Structures are given as structure tokens and as C-alpha cells.
Amino acid sequence: MAAASAGGQAVENQLKIGGFKRNMDVLALYLAGQGLTIIPSLSRFHRLRYLWINDNKIQDLTFLIKNCCLTELYLNNNELTDISGALKHLCALQILLLHNNQLKKLDKTVKELEGMMSLQTLNLFHNPLAQDRDYRLYVIYCLPSVQLLDRKLVTQKERESALHHYNRERSRLVHSIAFGKRVKTSLETTAGSSRCSQPARRLMLPSGCEFGNHTNRVPFENPEDAVLLRAMARSLMEFSSVDWNKVPTCQERRLENKAEEPREKLTIQFR
């Protein structure tokens, strides 16, 4: 009872400091470093967005069950051993600090955070789960929105390594399509060409698939067929450039009274 009373008193003190008279006006609460073990429900603060509870002795997070508007949550330096079922409803969360706790199960912790599509900053270091093999790559793969993990920027190379490690088939397809790797198909075979000695392979389209039919989402049995179909369906792009400094204005043409010279126009086509 004393612990609960201390938590409630800490909340009331912050309301007085902030001069809040209505619960709906509370957007931020600072409860850090007060040795709290229990915090009463904060459900009355429907619009709460910023919450500092770091540097306490918190073991349970059920008091957050209805604070769906939180965007920043500071839980570092506590005694948390499990966050399952406590944070998954915080879909708007952008910053979450959980370092220096006792979180042990990486799979359960990451699963709790998978629905946070706006999460950009995440700290999990100095938890037992951070000792797991490939810990960083696993978090990057499961939480693609995170840009800053454990105070270190997530690089494109790390994202590619994570995808290759946990989903090699998808990684191969992404590289072949997005980065222009060539596929040995009939598109590369031209008359008299000595660069491709393999016979042309017939494109095996899924049943009912037609060019331009974007409603058909039937997957290809052979991934190379998907690459080939995309290459065949690509549109032409044309770029033109004109040096307008060499084009006379209407007034200049009237004053000079001479025929307009052909404009120099450079046009490039890409496929």
C-alpha cells in the first residue's frame, strides 16, 4: 500500500508542478528517478504523449494499458523482466528506451513491438536478450521502421544483411529486381550474340496472368519469371533538354525580323 501511495503522490505532485486542472490537458508526465516500484493507472490522461519513468524500480507496466496516444516512452533503468501484453497497443510510439532492464526473451520482446509502425528509436542494450546471437540483425529484420537502434544508426547494409540472413529467397528477388541484376532469359539473347550461349527459355506465366492485369496477384513458381515479366512490361521514359538561352524571345524576333533558327534539342530514351 505504501508503494502504491508513493506512486499516486508522485503523479499528483507532477500535476501541481505543471499547473494542470483537467486530465485532458496532461500531455507529459515526468516521474523519473523517484524510486517508484508501483505506478497507479494513468488511463485518465487520455491525451498523454510523453512519459518518463526511467531510473525507478518498476516491474509491471499494466498502468499503461489505456494510454494509446504515447509517442515517447522512457523505461530505461528499471527492473522489467517481461513486457508481453503491456505495450503492443502503443501503435503511435516513436521513441522507446528499455535499456538497463532484465529482459531475457528476445522473441517475446520483439513480438510485442512488431505493431509499432512509427517506432524510430529503440534501446535494448544492457538487457540479457542483447547477448543473443545475431541480436541486432534480428531486431532490424523484425522492426523495419527503426532507424536508431541502441544509439547507433541502422545502415542499409545492415538491412540487406538482415534480410539475407532471415529471408534469403526474398533477398535474392529484391536484389535481382531492384538492383538490375541480369537474368539469363530470351531477353538477353539476340541474333549473332556470343555473350549468351544458353537457349531461350519460355516464360511460364501463372494461369490467368496477362500483361497489364494488375488485379492478378498469383505468385510465379519460378522467381526468374517474375523478373522477366517485369522487364518486358517496363515503359519507355523520355527526357528532352533545350538550351533556352539560345532561343530568342518574341520581342527579339520582331526586332531582328529574321526567320527563327531550328532549336537544338537533345532527347534521351530509357527503357
Side-chain angles (χ1 to χ4, degrees), residues 81-193:
T81 59
D82 189 11
I83 60 171
S84 298
L87 301 179
K88 63 175 58 178
H89 62 289
L90 303 179
C91 299
L93 209 58
Q94 299 176 12
I95 298 177
L96 176 60
L97 304 190
L98 282 165
H99 55 280
N100 288 329
N101 277 284
Q102 297 300 319
L103 301 174
K104 299 177 181 179
K105 297 183 179 181
L106 180 59
D107 289 343
K108 292 181 66 176
T109 300
V110 170
K111 187 176 182 180
E112 184 71 14
L113 309 180
E114 284 181 337
M116 300 178 183
M117 299 303 178
S118 300
L119 188 61
Q120 299 179 8
T121 300
L122 175 64
N123 280 359
L124 289 172
F125 63 90
H126 291 170
N127 279 285
L129 58 75
Q131 303 301 317
D132 285 20
R133 182 180 179 182
D134 299 321
Y135 145 77
R136 185 174 174 87
L137 288 183
Y138 182 73
V139 174
I140 291 173
Y141 174 72
C142 295
L143 306 174
S145 65
V146 173
Q147 300 178 14
L148 190 66
L149 176 60
D150 293 345
R151 300 176 179 174
K152 182 180 178 182
L153 283 173
V154 177
T155 65
Q156 181 61 31
K157 185 176 181 180
E158 285 181 315
R159 296 190 189 279
E160 294 173 4
S161 297
L163 183 61
H164 177 74
H165 188 79
Y166 291 101
N167 194 337
R168 294 193 177 186
E169 182 63 18
R170 179 176 174 81
S171 175
R172 190 177 72 84
L173 283 176
V174 168
H175 278 74
S176 63
I177 295 175
F179 298 97
K181 288 191 176 180
R182 292 187 153 214
V183 179
K184 294 182 179 180
T185 65
S186 57
L187 282 183
E188 295 183 19
T189 307
T190 56
S193 174

Side-chain angles (χ1 to χ4, degrees), residues 7-269:
Q9 188 60 49
V11 173
E12 294 303 321
N13 290 340
Q14 287 301 308
L15 295 180
K16 291 180 180 179
I17 293 174
F20 300 112
K21 295 183 179 180
R22 300 183 302 173
N23 292 334
M24 64 179 299
D25 294 332
V26 180
L27 300 180
L29 274 179
Y30 188 84
L31 303 173
Q34 301 189 42
L36 303 176
T37 57
I38 298 177
I39 294 178
S41 174
L42 301 178
S43 59
R44 56 178 168 148
F45 307 120
H46 299 293
R47 300 177 61 193
L48 186 63
R49 297 185 61 186
Y50 313 101
L51 181 59
W52 289 265
I53 319 177
N54 50 291
D55 298 285
N56 283 297
K57 300 178 181 179
I58 303 298
Q59 298 180 0
D60 181 72
L61 297 176
T62 54
F63 58 89
L64 294 173
I65 198 64
K66 294 186 178 180
N67 298 105
C68 300
C69 293
L70 281 171
T71 58
E72 297 183 16
L73 181 56
Y74 302 88
L75 294 168
N76 48 296
N77 300 306
N78 276 289
E79 298 179 0
L80 296 170
T81 59
D82 189 11
I83 60 171
S84 298
L87 301 179
K88 63 175 58 178
H89 62 289
L90 303 179
C91 299
L93 209 58
Q94 299 176 12
I95 298 177
L96 176 60
L97 304 190
L98 282 165
H99 55 280
N100 288 329
N101 277 284
Q102 297 300 319
L103 301 174
K104 299 177 181 179
K105 297 183 179 181
L106 180 59
D107 289 343
K108 292 181 66 176
T109 300
V110 170
K111 187 176 182 180
E112 184 71 14
L113 309 180
E114 284 181 337
M116 300 178 183
M117 299 303 178
S118 300
L119 188 61
Q120 299 179 8
T121 300
L122 175 64
N123 280 359
L124 289 172
F125 63 90
H126 291 170
N127 279 285
L129 58 75
Q131 303 301 317
D132 285 20
R133 182 180 179 182
D134 299 321
Y135 145 77
R136 185 174 174 87
L137 288 183
Y138 182 73
V139 174
I140 291 173
Y141 174 72
C142 295
L143 306 174
S145 65
V146 173
Q147 300 178 14
L148 190 66
L149 176 60
D150 293 345
R151 300 176 179 174
K152 182 180 178 182
L153 283 173
V154 177
T155 65
Q156 181 61 31
K157 185 176 181 180
E158 285 181 315
R159 296 190 189 279
E160 294 173 4
S161 297
L163 183 61
H164 177 74
H165 188 79
Y166 291 101
N167 194 337
R168 294 193 177 186
E169 182 63 18
R170 179 176 174 81
S171 175
R172 190 177 72 84
L173 283 176
V174 168
H175 278 74
S176 63
I177 295 175
F179 298 97
K181 288 191 176 180
R182 292 187 153 214
V183 179
K184 294 182 179 180
T185 65
S186 57
L187 282 183
E188 295 183 19
T189 307
T190 56
S193 174
S194 60
R195 298 181 64 182
C196 183
S197 59
Q198 293 187 359
R201 180 173 59 81
R202 183 181 178 184
L203 174 64
M204 301 300 293
L205 297 177
S207 176
C209 181
E210 300 176 358
F211 291 112
N213 181 11
H214 298 291
T215 61
N216 192 322
R217 300 300 181 187
V218 180
F220 288 83
E221 295 183 1
N222 190 331
E224 292 186 355
D225 287 340
V227 181
L228 175 59
L229 180 61
R230 173 168 176 162
M232 295 174 64
R234 282 187 300 184
S235 303
L236 280 175
M237 292 186 294
E238 181 176 292
F239 299 90
S240 298
S241 175
V242 176
D243 187 356
W244 292 102
N245 292 324
K246 298 182 179 179
V247 178
T249 64
C250 294
Q251 184 178 6
E252 290 174 340
R253 287 199 297 269
R254 287 196 300 269
L255 292 175
E256 295 179 6
N257 194 23
K258 64 179 181 180
E260 182 178 351
E261 297 180 359
R263 302 172 183 172
E264 296 182 1
K265 180 180 179 182
L266 176 63
T267 301
I268 303 176
Q269 287 187 344

